[in-house]
Amino acid sequence: MPRTEFISVGFHVPERVMTNDDLTQWWETSDEWIRERTGIEQRHWVEPGQEAGSDLALEATRKALAAADMDASELDCIIYATLSPDYFFPGGGVFLQRKLGIKGIPALDIRNQCTGFIYGLSIADAWIRTGQYRRVLLVGSEVHSTGMDFRPEGRDVSVLFGDGAGAAILGPTEDDGRGVLSTHLFADGRYAEKLWCESDASARFPRISHEDLDAGRHYALMEGREVFKHAVVRMPQSVRTALEANELSLEDVDLLIAHQANLRINEMVGRQLGLSEERVYNNIQRYGNTTAATIPIAVTEAVEKGLLNRGDLLLLTAFGSGFTWASAAVRW
Ligand code: UT7
């Protein structure tokens, strides 16, 4: 059975840069607080109402297609991971497909928040290995800025997030030893409300009311400390699981790319695993948390910077809303 390789990657972020200082026009916050607690220095936001998540995904996909010297018509399938779909339904995958000018191929939407890219990778890997699809486009794309809570109490969540998209084109490789070695997916729904958006929701009647809007139930709500506590345990655990599954050790790891939610979390993860700073790639400083897009954006940058080369062992891990968490071991 063939393995799944990353044929190419690409990413796109909107032009508009919002520094920490820029945010002080809305919230009582400071560059110092945000940097110290999260490592974030700036993030990119769309021009409101001008660019949707599927537009960012389109640009990221175009770059990945160009890097692979491929045309969109050669794709067999789209997997689109996001927690901020353009519309409640249909999912973002069909909008991306339409913008790519192709039709007929399946477009699957993944709703696993920060873990969406690795969940999507797992599905793509299964399809590629079994021969169902040969050229899979896997995208993580988010627009958070149009859903920011601009009330004073929104500061704890709103300063963390940015907009952006990352894409990977995946396909089979017969090059023995290379490709996705394994993926490992986890969830614990007992913590669903620790990081969630309550309304607009079909579980409620009405789905959204004036009272919901007044109470801000349509904004993301997070118990930050609780999420932090679980993230620093689950991500290292999932990395160890991936290594054990492949009879590899931490010494074998060339690069760890963890979900970019907080630089402090990733520093703790790196320390727990005994990985030196050079073996852990972070870019949250420039993009904030782009949820499903953090990993493909970071992978693209790592490739562009020459930090990830053919044959390297890459470990991916993510943790987020659900709670969901996941890891993947990839021989690049
Ligand atoms: O991608 C999904 C996964 N998400 C995560 O993994 C995020 C995990 N959590 C975190 O990264 C951190 O918990 C945060 C960065 C969200 C918050 O950092 P913290 O050190 O846990 O701060 P805190 O929430 O305990 O708040 C500490 C203080 C509070 O003031 P008091 O009560 O001590 O007076 C907050 O009101 O900081 C205050 N605060 C702020 N101050 C300035 C909260 N947000 C801000 C802000 N600017 N933006």
Side-chain angles (χ1 to χ4, degrees):
M1 207 181 267
R3 282 218 175 104
T4 301
E5 72 167 340
F6 281 72
I7 298 170
S8 68
V9 285
F11 81 97
H12 176 76
V13 289
E15 264 178 38
R16 187 158 72 121
V17 173
M18 301 298 293
T19 64
N20 293 340
D21 283 332
D22 290 334
L23 304 188
T24 61
Q25 63 186 295
W26 296 292
W27 297 289
E28 200 177 309
T29 188
S30 65
D31 180 50
E32 191 191 3
W33 191 96
I34 301 172
R35 269 179 208 252
E36 268 178 20
R37 304 276 174 143
T38 71
I40 299 168
E41 296 167 17
Q42 61 170 54
R43 72 287 291 138
H44 293 246
W45 284 6
V46 295
E47 290 297 336
Q50 307 281 305
E51 292 164 290
S54 59
D55 293 314
L56 305 184
L58 175 67
E59 291 310 316
T61 300
R62 282 184 174 148
K63 288 176 189 166
L65 285 168
D69 200 16
M70 271 175 66
D71 187 79
S73 61
E74 294 172 67
L75 295 170
D76 295 328
C77 171
I78 296 171
I79 303 179
Y80 190 107
T82 189
L83 68 68
S84 55
D86 293 6
Y87 300 97
F88 201 90
F89 72 90
V94 294
F95 291 103
L96 173 61
Q97 187 205 52
R98 191 167 74 187
K99 287 172 183 173
L100 282 166
I102 51 177
K103 58 185 179 197
I105 65 165
L108 172 72
D109 288 85
I110 302 270
R111 292 298 307 270
N112 290 93
Q113 304 73 246
C114 309
T115 317
F117 189 81
I118 303 182
Y119 266 67
L121 180 62
S122 185
I123 294 167
D125 183 39
W127 280 343
I128 289 167
R129 282 197 205 214
T130 54
Q132 183 156 353
Y133 301 114
R134 283 185 60 81
R135 292 286 177 265
V136 178
L137 168 65
L138 171 60
V139 183
S141 182
E142 305 285 1
V143 170
H144 288 292
S145 59
T146 53
M148 292 296 179
D149 181 355
F150 287 101
R151 301 169 308 160
E153 57 267 48
R155 70 176 179 176
D156 59 334
V157 172
S158 299
V159 302
L160 305 175
F161 292 94
D163 304 337
I169 297 172
L170 305 159
T173 175
E174 300 293 345
D175 186 350
D176 202 25
R178 282 185 56 250
V180 176
L181 306 183
S182 62
T183 56
H184 307 269
L185 311 180
F186 308 93
D188 191 341
R190 288 176 302 166
Y191 300 98
E193 290 84 6
K194 300 291 177 193
L195 174 48
W196 76 322
C197 185
E198 191 179 353
S199 186
D200 170 10
S202 65
R204 300 167 57 87
F205 186 75
R207 290 182 173 184
I208 190 159
S209 64
H210 289 292
E211 192 219 323
D212 290 330
L213 290 170
D214 291 342
R217 293 195 189 96
H218 55 304
Y219 296 127
L221 194 72
M222 174 169 72
E223 287 181 37
R225 295 222 156 187
E226 188 73 6
V227 179
F228 193 113
K229 219 171 62 189
H230 286 263
V232 295
V233 172
R234 294 308 194 182
M235 287 200 283
Q237 224 171 45
S238 71
V239 168
R240 289 183 196 279
T241 301
L243 290 172
E244 277 161 27
N246 296 288
E247 295 178 355
L248 292 163
S249 74
L250 285 159
E251 286 77 60
D252 298 315
V253 176
D254 293 294
L255 197 65
L256 171 70
I257 295 184
H259 170 54
Q260 306 287 305
N262 186 325
L263 188 60
R264 308 297 160 234
I265 291 178
N266 290 0
E267 286 169 350
M268 285 174 77
V269 169
R271 273 201 300 276
Q272 281 186 54
L273 294 171
L275 295 173
S276 57
E277 271 179 33
E278 314 82 72
R279 290 199 288 161
V280 183
Y281 185 71
N282 289 305
N283 60 10
I284 188 171
Q285 299 90 329
R286 284 171 285 124
Y287 304 116
N289 182 349
T290 59
T291 47
T294 64
I295 289 181
I297 292 177
V299 169
T300 308
E301 282 198 343
V303 171
E304 286 172 357
K305 289 173 192 276
L307 300 171
L308 192 52
N309 297 297
R310 202 176 170 87
D312 282 354
L313 181 65
L314 168 69
L315 264 290
L316 303 176
T317 182
F319 179 89
S321 163
F323 292 150
T324 59
W325 62 102
S327 65
V330 182
R331 182 67 69 186
W332 195 256

